[in-house]
Amino acid sequence: MCIFSTFKISSSSIGHNLFYRIALRRTHAPFSKPSMVATTEESLRRDFAAKQASVEAQGNAVRALKATGAAKPEVDAAIEALNRLKIEKAAVEKELQSVISRDSGDGSVSREAFRQAVLNTLERRLFYIPSFKIYRGVAGLYDFGPPGCAVKSNVLAFWRQHFVLEENMLEVDCPCVTPEVVLKASGHVDKFTDLMVKDEKTGTCYRADHLLKDFCNEKLQKDLSISAEKAAELRHVLAVLDDLSAEELGAKIKEYGITAPDTKNPLSDPYPFNLMFQTSIGPSGLLPGYMRPETAQGIFVNFKDLYYYNGNKLPFAAAQIGQAFRNEISPRQGLLRVREFTLAEIEHFVDPEDKSHPKYPEVANLEFLMFPREEQMSGQSAKIICLGEAVSKGIVNNETLGYFIGRVYLFLTHLGIDKSRLRFRQHLANEMAHYAADCWDAEIESSYGWIECVGIADRSAYDLRAHTDKSGVPLVAAEKFSEPREVEKLVIAPVKKELGLAFKGNQKNVVEALEAMKEQEALEMKAALESKGEVEFQVCTLGKNVIIKKNMVSISKEKKKEHQRVFTPSVIEPSFGIGRIIYCLYEHSFYTRPSKAGDELLNVFRFPPLVAPIKCTVFPLVQNQQYEEVAKEISKSLTVAGISHKIDITGTSIGKRYARTDELGVPFAITVDSTSSVTIRERDSKDQIRVNVDEAASVVKAVTDGLKSWEDVWSNYPHHSAESTDD
Amino acid sequence: MCIFSTFKISSSSIGHNLFYRIALRRTHAPFSKPSMVATTEESLRRDFAAKQASVEAQGNAVRALKATGAAKPEVDAAIEALNRLKIEKAAVEKELQSVISRDSGDGSVSREAFRQAVLNTLERRLFYIPSFKIYRGVAGLYDFGPPGCAVKSNVLAFWRQHFVLEENMLEVDCPCVTPEVVLKASGHVDKFTDLMVKDEKTGTCYRADHLLKDFCNEKLQKDLSISAEKAAELRHVLAVLDDLSAEELGAKIKEYGITAPDTKNPLSDPYPFNLMFQTSIGPSGLLPGYMRPETAQGIFVNFKDLYYYNGNKLPFAAAQIGQAFRNEISPRQGLLRVREFTLAEIEHFVDPEDKSHPKYPEVANLEFLMFPREEQMSGQSAKIICLGEAVSKGIVNNETLGYFIGRVYLFLTHLGIDKSRLRFRQHLANEMAHYAADCWDAEIESSYGWIECVGIADRSAYDLRAHTDKSGVPLVAAEKFSEPREVEKLVIAPVKKELGLAFKGNQKNVVEALEAMKEQEALEMKAALESKGEVEFQVCTLGKNVIIKKNMVSISKEKKKEHQRVFTPSVIEPSFGIGRIIYCLYEHSFYTRPSKAGDELLNVFRFPPLVAPIKCTVFPLVQNQQYEEVAKEISKSLTVAGISHKIDITGTSIGKRYARTDELGVPFAITVDSTSSVTIRERDSKDQIRVNVDEAASVVKAVTDGLKSWEDVWSNYPHHSAESTDD
């Protein structure tokens, strides 16, 4: 039911491509601002223009009075009126300014400051750093340092547990190096492009839409003098930015006189730049290849083997975690737009005639922020909807899609994403590939705005069909009937002998054209042959019409027994940008609190133990051999229990040691202050309990593995009140 | 002490490169055959040639007797003698044949058959398959299917546990896309090449050394008529194959008349082909990049940050798991030589003056097969040596290197590698980079011969120095002295005014040359200036000698207080080829056993639970709703316990279901044959115990996590003897 029979793909609508491309544009797109805001801004701009005109007019009036030597009281009254007008103008200006900056997504000062605080901490503690720093780095490439690497590995381990293990998915691991033919079939070779302009003198490259967007935003935010009409036009350009063709973009750039940002040189016309890293496979130089821009194709080309592995049964899902590569024209926004990143993708193959899911009831009662197409179009905001209701009302296309939306919600919130800053936004018609049945993005709000972190699309049969066509290998499934079904089938049987006599060398073309007739056309021919004995028939491959006589073809409807139904499965694809999820998690987990002395702000990441890069630290309270021995004993038990931890035996004050590890998001600290018992401190509450030395590791393991909550242990162990230590 | 001050690197001796390149050549290299073998073969070849000559001579004698009409008894006697000689010749021929084939590494028929059985199972069960199969694949690229992917992820998880967690290593995660400058510094851009020849008519490319090797092996194995001298020559060529220059290789190819294998066309001269996949970063096309050929460089360029992260303390280790890429000229041998693979690398940074390791005593008593340089050179075989003895005798260069050799041994045997087919082979002088202090390979015997799977090298300060030189950023460590030390330092102070007057525009070159003098040279100059007042001095950058006068430079030795010692750390690098380890593990784990009926051979992988792709299966004995409910309950408990498992509710016979999962190496099967208790079957012994339904998951978890052995549970639970089920 959701299968489209055409295969045309449009530039911005290869489902996978969307993933890293549409998202950021959305942060400034119109439906993330209620339309009321635009109305307020518009009326304020009009007001401001009117006040400015009044001030000018009154100023002229005052000057005229002075010039004509009018009486002082008259002049004073006019000046007073002028001042009143100026105050009114200033009030409107202030209001307009605040509407614009509130509205500009990433313009707010406090957001910038917050982001800077997070970034400073992340870079200083090596969560991530620009790659190849000693060689001045390369834009869009980042290294994960030790804590970042641990967080990533924890997120991926949980992803495997939550999706692959829970659903018995077939995980595969395919190479990044991909021969051209595969990406030709998928559409990437021809369509995976961004529009680029070049500085005509220096050759520096820019993304055409970025320049236009920056121009419009800057104008809207900094130039209060533009008319309400002009402002509306610029907002419209921002809204339709994704839909502009190369010609339209070029025309706008010319119209607005946009030049190269650094040099102010003129710019070339926009032209498409393919975002794949190209290389050559083997020594001959004759086999072009690319670094895969997504992991999904590796699954699609293996469909046949995977289906067989699954006992030739649908539905089943395959999954892959791996690197993907996109040679961005000018990467910005840190971890959110990079040239190499880790994707985790699921391809869930399903019978297009049955998209139910056995585990759907497990998520149907979940309620969370959803942003359906209709709400976006009518300028409303996202609202809390019950998933089951969204599916039953048809807002979400089908149960399986709904099931994955629910599972993604559980996955993200479990990691520590704030559920009030997570929404599922449905793609608008113009965003979605024409073949897609439905598509929802899990968007997370960060200091950069709402960021697409997971795309969940029902891509119908598009991908398998594309590879079937290109490879000639049918990527199909079959439903075996429990007993054979009788179906009526049209049978077109050309009589080759007669056709050969009539058409000689052209016989083959005529036969093929006859066999290719659609049911309706064939039945019309049958009727015509029966009534008139012959009929004119167009053979496209010959470029002419021929006369078909009654003895040349037999057309009939026959009853046949069929034992199975063969079809191309639909695919439902949840696709996770791991780096983006992690970055948003950093922002949602970060907070500051004053030090005990109140003289500085200390940074904390409130990671749940599942995510925390290190689960526990072990500190001897003072440098002392006995305490160090105990610390080493505990460390050994933690290693055996598989709890990643760190010993810190430096003489630094215990408060400083806590602060250092709070900044890494370490949830628990064991402080050794005697040889028989120790304290365990929880990061966010700073609460401490006393535990026997030989129990310490098992208590930490219980709270880390989620078998017990901190509240459980807090109520089961004596509390430790050493106010003075935590500083 | 292990630092070399020159930086020249030779083509085949970039330590990392060796990893995937030297190994396979070794399988035919002379030191894997005791020299006695060569001696036997040589004398047999001489014998064979002599017998053949005798047979010919006697044949001639018989013919001569017949032609001259000699008496019948005389002729009969001569014929009898001829037959005796023929029998003797045949005996020698047989012996020679058997020595050659025993000796030829992969020539044995049973090895081939075994390999084929393993490969068939691996491909059929999707452990791995050629990538992009529907497009006829690309040589050297493979996909891991579901069980292979699970095995890989288990091996990597254990690697993290065994190395990173156990040693508190700093794990990092760097991009694959690498700018040229980094790989220029490391030497890969200039030297990471293989010698290639082209079919002069078709352009098909071959590895020059492969063609020569194949020619020599074929001659030695199939041509019994070559002389002992010729055989010795061919064996010598095989032995020095790695050391041959392009010219020498080309000369041998010409001398032996080697042509293109498929077409018999003439071949081009050998020329170097760089094995890196090249690409271009960013849209300008001006920034060349490569897909990294190893992960190590990502760690080296981050040394400064990592050292700081570690509190500016040595030693510490950094680790990285990731994809690496090598554009092999003509990949063969399946998973052993591929174009993209997963590496796991450790860089352990250590003070060159102190290579002790605190945990060394934990491994010092291990005993296993070692193959020191000396044993290889003198034609002996590998022998069991105590690691501690090897270190104390200086066979292994230092404690840290020894520690890692021990840890690698524990890692591999824990995975299930057969310790009798695992040896640690020391690099010979001609294999090792000149800067390396010592290097050992963990080699695993497979049907392809001995395969290098882990390289463990003390690379001294080479890598950090190379990046220091290229980037200008000092990658050094400092040892702070507890109190300042007095040191005598040479001070060379050129008097620029005088030098400027004397040398005008060349002043700078002269100053630099003076400052660059080594201590000995400077002291000689000082003496000469004091005695003669002037001295002739070579300035390389000017290409001539100049006269230095006494007033132009002051040279003195001064006492200085130093607070720290600054030095470039040595690096000890264990580097793991994950795909190779996994392939060898497959071979070591595979066996067949007859089915119950005895009519077929069933395949089994004896993976330890740690490695097994699925830990457990759950089978309802017959199709029955009650049993299926129980199976689902158990499945839920297994999921909660984090045990990967599979339910099979097909009506297939239980014996067939066991056989299917034995072939995947699943260690335990839970069969539901009642609603209160179930049987648990162990794969290799086929033993079964009875366990209550609600205990089933925890029993499997205990044996899977290694908390209990199968023997433990076998002695604690009632045994189940249902002979009939296991068929």
Side-chain angles (χ1 to χ4, degrees), chain A residues 133 152 173 278-279 282 302 327, chain B residues 143 152 173 279 282 305 327:
Chain A
K133 235 167 68 174
K152 182 178 168 189
D173 183 6
Q278 193 173 1
T279 190
N302 280 323
N327 196 8
Chain B
D143 294 342
K152 182 177 166 189
D173 183 7
T279 190
D305 280 343
N327 196 8

Side-chain angles (χ1 to χ4, degrees), chain A residues 124-126 129-139 141-147 149-150 152-153 160-161 165-166 168-179 181-182 185 196 198 203 205-206 273 276-284 287 291-292 297-298 300-302 304-306 308-310 313 319 323 325 327-330 339-340 342 362 466-468 470-473 475 614 635-636 638-640 642-647 650 664, chain B residues 124-126 129-139 141-147 149-150 152-153 160-161 165-166 168-179 181-182 185 196 198 203 205-206 273 276-284 287 291-292 297-298 300-302 304-306 308-310 313 319 323 325 327-330 339-340 342 362 466-468 470-473 475 614 635-636 638-640 642-647 650 664:
Chain A
R124 188 162 39 76
R125 301 311 301 268
L126 300 200
I129 44 172
S131 301
F132 316 114
K133 235 167 68 174
I134 63 170
Y135 294 104
R136 279 175 296 281
V138 174
L141 294 178
Y142 294 91
D143 295 343
F144 289 94
C149 200
K152 182 178 168 189
S153 136
R160 269 208 181 92
Q161 167 74 31
L165 197 61
E166 178 76 29
N168 263 306
M169 291 178 182
L170 308 183
E171 192 177 347
V172 300
D173 183 6
C174 309
C176 301
V177 174
T178 306
V181 62
V182 173
M196 180 161 92
K198 266 193 180 175
C205 306
Y206 303 93
F273 171 75
M276 291 193 293
F277 283 100
Q278 193 173 1
T279 190
S280 177
I281 307 174
S284 70
L287 182 59
M291 302 311 298
R292 64 180 175 193
Q297 302 306 325
F300 295 136
V301 299
N302 280 323
K304 218 178 134 185
D305 279 343
L306 293 169
Y308 173 78
Y309 187 84
N310 200 51
K313 282 196 183 62
Q323 293 303 89
F325 303 82
N327 196 8
E328 296 286 350
I329 294 171
S330 51
R339 286 178 166 151
E340 182 177 337
T342 301
E362 291 176 18
H467 286 295
T468 297
K470 188 82 179 177
S471 69
V473 176
L475 303 177
I614 297 166
S635 163
K636 255 192 191 160
L638 289 169
T639 301
V640 169
I643 303 293
S644 70
H645 64 282
K646 220 177 166 173
I647 296 197
T650 57
L664 287 176
Chain B
R124 190 163 38 75
R125 301 310 302 268
L126 300 201
I129 44 172
S131 301
F132 317 115
K133 234 167 69 175
I134 63 171
Y135 293 104
R136 280 174 296 279
V138 174
L141 294 178
Y142 293 92
D143 294 342
F144 288 93
C149 198
K152 182 177 166 189
S153 134
R160 268 208 182 91
Q161 168 74 32
L165 197 59
E166 180 75 31
N168 264 308
M169 291 178 181
L170 308 183
E171 192 176 347
V172 300
D173 183 7
C174 309
C176 302
V177 174
T178 306
V181 62
V182 173
M196 178 161 92
K198 267 193 180 176
C205 306
Y206 302 94
F273 171 74
M276 292 194 292
F277 284 100
Q278 192 174 1
T279 190
S280 177
I281 306 174
S284 70
L287 181 59
M291 302 311 299
R292 64 178 176 194
Q297 302 306 324
F300 296 134
V301 298
N302 280 324
K304 217 177 134 184
D305 280 343
L306 293 170
Y308 172 78
Y309 186 84
N310 200 52
K313 281 197 182 61
Q323 293 302 92
F325 303 80
N327 196 8
E328 296 285 349
I329 293 170
S330 51
R339 286 178 166 151
E340 181 176 337
T342 301
E362 291 177 18
H467 286 294
T468 297
K470 188 81 179 176
S471 69
V473 176
L475 303 177
I614 297 167
S635 162
K636 255 192 190 158
L638 289 169
T639 301
V640 169
I643 303 294
S644 71
H645 64 282
K646 220 177 164 174
I647 296 197
T650 56
L664 286 177

Side-chain angles (χ1 to χ4, degrees), chain A residues 508-536:
Chain A
K508 195 164 158 268
N509 304 56
V510 178
V511 167
E512 282 172 0
L514 286 170
E515 285 174 343
M517 281 189 292
K518 292 261 157 68
E519 178 153 343
Q520 184 58 30
E521 194 185 356
L523 293 177
E524 282 168 17
M525 177 181 278
K526 180 182 166 74
L529 289 176
E530 272 161 17
S531 61
K532 298 186 231 155
E534 63 173 52
V535 66
E536 205 170 345

Side-chain angles (χ1 to χ4, degrees), chain A residues 311-377:
Chain A
N312 289 336
K313 282 196 183 62
L314 283 187
F316 75 90
Q320 181 165 201
I321 297 172
Q323 293 303 89
F325 303 82
R326 298 184 185 179
N327 196 8
E328 296 286 350
I329 294 171
S330 51
R332 20 188 206 180
Q333 298 185 305
L335 284 190
L336 297 180
R337 185 173 296 274
V338 290
R339 286 178 166 151
E340 182 177 337
F341 46 93
T342 301
L343 278 183
E345 296 192 292
I346 295 166
E347 308 298 328
H348 181 91
F349 298 101
V350 64
D351 185 339
E353 294 183 8
D354 178 11
K355 292 184 178 174
S356 65
H357 195 290
K359 287 160 92 180
Y360 166 70
E362 291 176 18
V363 300
N365 291 325
L366 290 175
E367 293 186 347
F368 45 78
L369 273 180
M370 296 186 83
F371 202 8
R373 200 172 291 150
E374 197 146 321
E375 274 69 9
Q376 297 171 47
M377 301 298 288

